[in-house]
Amino acid sequence: MTSLPVYRWRLAPPGYATVRQLRALGLRPGGQDVAAVLERPRRRRGPLIAYLYLVDRAKPVRPMTPARWAALAKANAAQQVCPSCHKDAGYRIPTSLGMCVTCAYPEEQCAA
């Protein structure tokens, strides 16, 4: 088994990038294996680890098709409907409440 090169925080050589850095460049790993590991030391816990990929082997991000846009719009619309009053809240329903703010706090609406 081969071991991966390990670099300290901010000391990785050029040509490596994390998934977020690849995404900012309009790229994706494209099925390649992890090329290196980046470690950020912490005082009382284990180090934070980020996986690095080779930029020259990365592939461009797949474009959004009309079907993907439609599926995304449908998923977002479903998360805006309150399960209690069945109305479109106009915002994403908080998972901590499980319903729109009007249904969760009905007494505060009358006080205003």
Side-chain angles (χ1 to χ4, degrees):
M1 180 174 178
T2 61
S3 63
L4 297 173
V6 178
Y7 298 106
R8 300 270 299 180
W9 183 251
R10 298 185 187 266
L11 295 178
Y16 290 102
T18 63
V19 173
R20 286 187 179 195
Q21 291 169 339
L22 288 175
R23 184 55 62 134
L25 296 172
L27 301 171
R28 61 184 171 96
Q32 65 173 302
D33 291 332
V34 175
V37 177
L38 185 71
E39 286 188 351
R40 179 176 179 222
R42 296 191 291 182
R43 292 181 183 216
R44 296 191 176 142
R45 293 188 244 166
L48 291 175
I49 295 176
Y51 298 111
L52 299 174
Y53 299 92
L54 294 171
V55 176
D56 57 349
R57 293 182 59 195
K59 296 181 180 178
V61 175
R62 295 183 187 123
M64 287 290 283
T65 62
R68 283 186 177 182
W69 281 114
L72 185 62
K74 187 176 178 182
N76 285 334
Q79 293 178 350
Q80 293 181 359
V81 177
C82 176
S84 297
C85 62
H86 303 289
K87 293 182 183 176
D88 185 1
Y91 55 87
R92 195 175 227 174
I93 302 295
T95 56
S96 60
L97 297 177
M99 61 184 72
C100 66
V101 176
T102 309
C103 293
Y105 304 108
E107 65 279 353
E108 292 184 15
Q109 292 294 331
C110 298

